[in-house]
Amino acid sequence: MTRVAILWHMHQPFYEDLVTGEHVLPWVRLHALKDYYGMAAILREFPDVKMTFNLVPSLLVQLEAFAENRARDRYLDLSLKPAANLDDQDIEFILENFFHAQRQRMIDVYPRYAELMARRGGSLPTSGDRRTAAARFTRDDLRDLQVWHKLVWIDPFYLERDARIQGLLAKGRDFTEEDKAVLRTVELELLNKVIPEYREAAGRGQIELSASPFYHPILPLLCDTDIYRRTHPDSRMPRRRFVHPEDAVEQLERAASSHERLFGQRPVGLWPSEGSVSDAIVPLVAAAGFTWMATDELILARTLNATFSRDARGHVDHPERLYTAYAVRAGGASVACAFRDHVLSDLIGFSYAGWDADAAADDFVGRLVEAGRRFRERTGGGDALIPIILDGENAWEYFEGGGRPFLRALYGRLSNHAELRTVTMADACRKPARELPGIFPGSWIDANFYIWIGHADDRKAWSQLADARQALESATADTQALSGAREEILIAEGSDWFWWYGDDHSSAHDAEFDDLFRRHVRNAYRLMQKPVPDELFVSNISSAAAPEAQTYPTALLSPTVDGDETSYFEWLGAGSLEIRETAGAMHRSDRRVPLLTLVQFGFDRERLFVRVDAVRPMVDLLADGHEITLKFLQPEGVRFSVCQRLGRLIGRFWDRQSSSTAIVGSAPWAERGPSHAVVAAGTVLELSLPTRELRVGAGESLAFFVAVYDEGVETERHPEHRPIELTVPDALFEARNWRA
């Protein structure tokens, strides 16, 4: 009898900013509505089918918070806000973000939702386009969009059988605020069903619940980032080696404890994040109480120094090697390990979505049967173990009926099949038939770690993480603050941030992932009461474009530095940055509107000129105790600040002290004085800074942020993710920018 071990991996990274309480992206909540409950509930129809669900703790704790109505995200807030009360910022955000759903299966099949998308337009690259589109939407249109944005994510069980949801589907348009309240009731109902459904399925012995490290980090890289050199010996590496196996231990122990709290027992199985394994993790996994783990077939091939070749139908030539459990011995410990069939798993994840459900199920079951028969022929009658391991949520957006027709067809064929028997991974790995004296280090992708550390953007993030982890070792803040800082670092160790860096993968939310990673690391420094490195305010995405609202200087300037707009022409030809409220910020009643509205900048042959406009006269803001600071990334280690003391305007250069010259306990920045700078504040703030004092010359680069401080605390920074970047004019500047 061929044993089929299906493992569905359910995972979301930790989206919450622990400081603000904001969940930056809505995917925990939306996938809970559509996938997490139904994937377990459907098994009630097939009591003879057994399988494993891998539930990542970072997903579960967020799911708990949403179910208890403790968690919020801007998408949720704006779906509930009365349509009549939506402001321009709200509408722009809704039109940009409330169509994030698979087009063919989740939008086009619903006429009203498709109509609304057509009214908005397929893509909105600029805020100007969004404002134009907003004029085409009535309040009734916006209310309908609020409903459809969530309705299409509701579980197929509810779409088919729940009278409340069927009523909304039948209505289709002209929804009311009461309809939105009904939908919210169903949403909370579904959210509260997820964890109990898995608990009940495990209780009746139909499923096994396995885990991943708590915040889904790549364990081998936590133990030692130099493990990457095993496959890429000549690769560049982060500026500081990350070697913290104790963090890997904590991620494992917390995962096991979390499952015990939620499901009544510690898990015995582990899907190491991204199937990432190495010899170093084996004793850690065993010590945490896990008896089995799983990874990809290519890891086994590299471990055996073999190749799993396949015929034209995708059948493995040497199934006796792949379709069995192994005992991996390393570091004085042993853990059973199964290796997923990559081809069969990917058929579900990437191929069958466009097939008829019955045809796909017949094809898949036929392949399983043939694989089992080949195994028996090669082993003289042995029983094959075929591990099928894949993501349990994202594929279903591309299947008809959210994947339910396919799953019903598949599970129905697997129930009481004459040659196939479904088993949990624990059953499959209980008695490993073979032994491995170690395991090749890598992940399920290409049996290496390139995705997470191979690109320059990845290495920059690892460098920032390693620096913060090192800073934690010497931090002297109180115990509670240090505990919070450690939590932020553990979150930042998650694999997802690094997944989206580099040119390997991209999504509509790359900027949010990048921002959230850096936000967690910044939070750690603040809790440690250490200065936040300036680079953590700059996007790690090397391909990120300049801010949309920024323009560049086109002429040399000669403004009168007097704090007022002396002439319309004095800043003509300057570059500019228009400052707007950040669209991705949490939608809260206490959100802060930026004080600054515009920054203009340019040069003459010897000076950098900067003008700053605000919501009220700059002289008043400075009199209220605010300080304006230019924070330079190029050249490094220079700042210029403007404040008012005893009615006197003060502008000063500051230089960062090097670690070799700084006195222990001294401030990290040393005042240099005004050094021939000129400042003036009236309705606007105007600055004239000699380029020689910035230590740059013609043709060299300048990069800076404009920050606002209030009582020593930075409250604003513009631009948000990338600095204003300029080149000091050379002799050809005017010729290049000449216009007839």
Side-chain angles (χ1 to χ4, degrees):
M1 184 73 73
T2 298
R3 296 172 297 161
V4 180
I6 300 173
L7 182 151
W8 299 114
H9 175 54
M10 304 299 200
H11 161 57
Q12 293 292 336
F14 195 76
Y15 294 114
E16 183 183 2
D17 179 339
L18 296 179
V19 173
T20 66
E22 171 189 5
H23 289 251
V24 172
L25 290 170
W27 305 124
V28 167
R29 180 174 53 83
L30 292 181
H31 277 288
L33 300 184
K34 186 174 70 66
D35 301 309
Y36 299 142
Y37 165 71
M39 284 293 288
I42 196 174
L43 292 177
R44 293 178 180 270
E45 302 173 24
F46 305 95
D48 295 323
V49 173
K50 293 188 176 183
M51 63 186 54
T52 303
F53 284 91
N54 190 78
L55 303 178
V56 177
S58 61
L59 159 64
L60 294 172
V61 294
Q62 293 176 96
L63 179 56
E64 276 190 292
F66 277 109
E68 295 169 6
N69 204 17
R70 294 185 286 107
R72 309 295 283 188
D73 60 69
R74 191 177 187 191
Y75 301 75
L76 175 60
D77 284 351
L78 291 184
S79 74
L80 300 177
K81 187 173 182 178
N85 296 341
L86 295 171
D87 61 28
D88 291 344
Q89 290 269 345
D90 298 335
I91 295 170
E92 190 170 326
F93 184 90
I94 284 173
L95 294 184
E96 182 175 6
N97 293 284
F98 275 31
F99 294 97
H100 286 312
Q102 206 279 333
R103 177 75 180 264
Q104 289 73 31
R105 302 291 190 186
M106 299 175 70
I107 296 179
D108 289 348
V109 293
Y110 299 108
R112 177 56 167 160
Y113 201 12
E115 174 191 337
L116 293 170
M117 186 170 192
R119 182 167 300 178
R120 184 205 72 166
S123 62
L124 295 172
T126 69
S127 59
D129 292 330
R130 291 190 288 272
R131 287 193 293 270
T132 300
R136 299 193 290 267
F137 278 73
T138 67
R139 295 292 159 167
D140 290 339
D141 292 332
L142 293 168
R143 188 180 300 106
D144 284 0
L145 182 52
Q146 288 175 309
V147 171
W148 278 112
H149 154 70
K150 189 183 298 181
L151 188 56
V152 298
W153 287 88
I154 294 296
D155 189 276
F157 280 125
Y158 277 68
L159 295 176
E160 297 164 2
R161 307 172 189 177
D162 186 88
R164 297 163 296 180
I165 296 302
Q166 288 184 318
L168 293 175
L169 290 171
K171 189 173 184 178
R173 62 190 308 134
D174 300 324
F175 295 115
T176 65
E177 295 297 328
E178 290 72 24
D179 291 330
K180 286 165 55 178
V182 169
L183 188 55
R184 175 59 174 166
T185 298
V186 173
E187 179 176 32
L188 287 170
E189 182 178 305
L190 266 169
L191 290 168
N192 278 282
K193 280 186 173 183
V194 177
I195 291 176
E197 189 65 34
Y198 285 95
R199 188 185 298 122
E200 290 174 25
R204 62 178 183 264
Q206 192 171 4
I207 69 171
E208 176 190 359
L209 297 176
S210 61
S212 292
F214 196 93
Y215 288 117
H216 205 263
I218 305 296
L219 289 180
L221 293 177
L222 292 194
C223 291
D224 188 351
T225 47
D226 272 6
I227 193 66
Y228 178 56
R229 293 186 183 276
R230 176 77 178 273
T231 55
H232 293 73
D234 298 322
S235 174
R236 294 181 178 180
M237 297 297 290
R239 60 177 175 253
R240 187 191 298 273
R241 184 179 177 185
F242 194 101
V243 186
H244 289 285
E246 68 274 23
D247 288 11
V249 169
E250 183 166 356
Q251 297 268 13
L252 287 166
E253 176 57 36
R254 290 180 60 174
S257 297
S258 175
H259 265 55
E260 184 175 28
R261 177 180 66 83
L262 289 171
F263 303 113
Q265 59 185 17
R266 291 171 71 91
V268 299
L270 180 79
W271 171 251
S273 310
E274 310 292 355
S276 296
V277 293
S278 67
D279 285 349
I281 79 165
V282 173
L284 309 185
V285 169
F290 295 99
T291 61
W292 68 262
M293 63 182 183
T295 183
D296 187 72
E297 66 174 60
L298 189 53
I299 295 290
L300 178 60
R302 299 293 294 272
T303 302
L304 298 175
N305 195 26
T307 300
F308 289 124
S309 56
R310 284 176 154 81
D311 66 15
R313 281 279 293 164
H315 296 297
V316 179
D317 288 340
H318 293 282
E320 71 280 5
R321 289 183 169 183
L322 178 59
Y323 297 143
T324 189
Y326 289 78
V328 178
R329 298 190 182 278
S334 176
V335 176
C337 189
F339 299 87
R340 76 175 193 136
D341 185 303
H342 196 117
V343 170
L344 288 177
S345 300
D346 282 357
L347 281 172
I348 298 176
F350 303 108
S351 298
Y352 286 147
W355 290 41
D356 171 79
D358 287 317
D362 285 337
D363 181 77
F364 192 74
V365 170
R367 291 171 182 270
L368 293 174
V369 170
E370 177 63 19
R373 290 173 180 172
R374 290 181 176 226
F375 185 92
R376 285 194 294 274
E377 291 172 1
R378 299 279 300 188
T379 60
D383 292 336
L385 162 66
I386 306 179
I388 307 298
I389 303 174
L390 70 153
D391 187 291
E393 56 197 87
N394 291 311
W396 311 126
E397 298 171 30
Y398 299 86
F399 278 72
E400 179 187 357
R404 298 301 194 273
F406 168 73
L407 290 173
R408 287 192 172 98
L410 175 61
Y411 294 165
R413 286 158 175 76
L414 291 175
S415 297
N416 299 312
H417 193 282
E419 297 185 51
L420 305 175
R421 177 167 60 93
T422 55
V423 296
T424 65
M425 291 293 294
D427 287 339
C429 295
R430 187 159 283 118
K431 295 180 179 179
R434 298 189 178 191
E435 184 173 305
L436 296 173
I439 194 165
F440 191 85
S443 73
W444 71 272
I445 301 180
D446 299 330
N448 61 50
F449 304 113
Y450 177 83
I451 296 294
W452 298 276
I453 198 171
H455 193 277
D457 298 0
D458 298 318
R459 294 192 294 271
K460 186 175 182 181
W462 274 105
S463 298
Q464 293 161 349
L465 183 59
D467 289 346
R469 189 63 181 78
Q470 181 70 20
L472 184 64
E473 299 292 323
S474 61
T476 58
D478 64 73
T479 302
Q480 183 176 354
L482 291 180
S483 176
R486 179 166 178 77
E487 193 73 20
E488 297 281 8
I489 290 172
L490 291 172
I491 295 169
E493 290 173 350
S495 71
D496 291 80
W497 326 119
F498 304 94
W499 173 274
W500 296 111
Y501 282 135
D503 52 10
D504 319 285
H505 302 102
S506 186
S507 75
H509 300 288
D510 288 5
E512 285 90 343
F513 281 102
D514 166 53
D515 171 65
L516 196 47
F517 168 78
R518 291 180 290 108
R519 203 185 303 189
H520 286 305
V521 183
R522 291 198 303 264
N523 290 345
Y525 277 99
R526 287 170 178 143
L527 287 163
M528 289 186 279
Q529 299 176 16
K530 290 178 176 283
V532 179
D534 283 338
E535 69 172 322
L536 290 174
F537 293 94
V538 182
S539 174
N540 285 334
I541 303 174
S542 56
S543 60
E548 159 185 318
Q550 180 180 327
T551 64
Y552 293 90
T554 59
L556 295 176
L557 307 180
S558 56
T560 302
V561 181
D562 58 4
D564 288 297
E565 188 169 308
T566 306
S567 164
Y568 165 78
F569 297 100
E570 66 175 346
W571 288 93
L572 195 64
S576 66
L577 174 72
E578 181 183 349
I579 296 171
R580 308 186 184 111
E581 183 178 354
T582 303
M586 184 68 171
H587 185 78
R588 297 161 57 105
S589 60
D590 61 347
R591 65 188 183 191
R592 183 189 294 270
V593 176
L595 292 175
L596 306 189
T597 59
L598 180 69
V599 179
Q600 293 177 273
F601 38 84
F603 300 90
D604 66 10
R605 292 296 181 188
E606 297 179 344
R607 290 175 173 265
L608 166 69
F609 297 105
V610 178
R611 167 178 161 173
V612 182
D613 293 42
V615 294
R616 55 196 180 96
M618 283 296 310
V619 66
D620 295 339
L621 290 180
L622 293 167
D624 288 345
H626 293 94
E627 181 176 302
I628 308 298
T629 298
L630 305 188
K631 308 178 82 165
F632 289 89
L633 275 68
Q634 289 182 277
E636 289 187 271
V638 179
R639 292 181 177 178
F640 188 83
S641 67
V642 180
C643 62
Q644 184 171 304
R645 296 288 184 269
L646 301 175
R648 177 168 166 262
L649 194 65
I650 301 174
R652 296 171 289 184
F653 282 99
W654 299 80
D655 297 315
R656 180 188 288 118
Q657 298 191 78
S658 67
S659 56
S660 60
T661 60
I663 300 173
V664 175
S666 64
W669 292 89
E671 180 184 344
R672 195 194 330 154
S675 301
H676 305 289
V678 179
V679 300
T683 56
V684 301
L685 174 66
E686 293 179 313
L687 312 177
S688 171
L689 309 181
T691 51
R692 68 175 182 275
E693 298 294 345
L694 295 170
R695 306 184 185 110
V696 292
E700 294 185 314
S701 297
L702 272 175
F704 64 92
F705 292 101
V706 181
V708 180
Y709 283 79
D710 188 7
E711 296 183 354
V713 177
E714 183 179 308
T715 57
E716 294 179 28
R717 180 183 291 229
H718 308 289
E720 186 173 11
H721 298 299
R722 293 190 71 82
I724 295 168
E725 295 177 310
L726 304 170
T727 300
V728 179
D730 59 14
L732 298 177
F733 174 80
E734 290 178 293
R736 282 194 298 268
N737 290 279
W738 181 83
R739 294 291 185 271

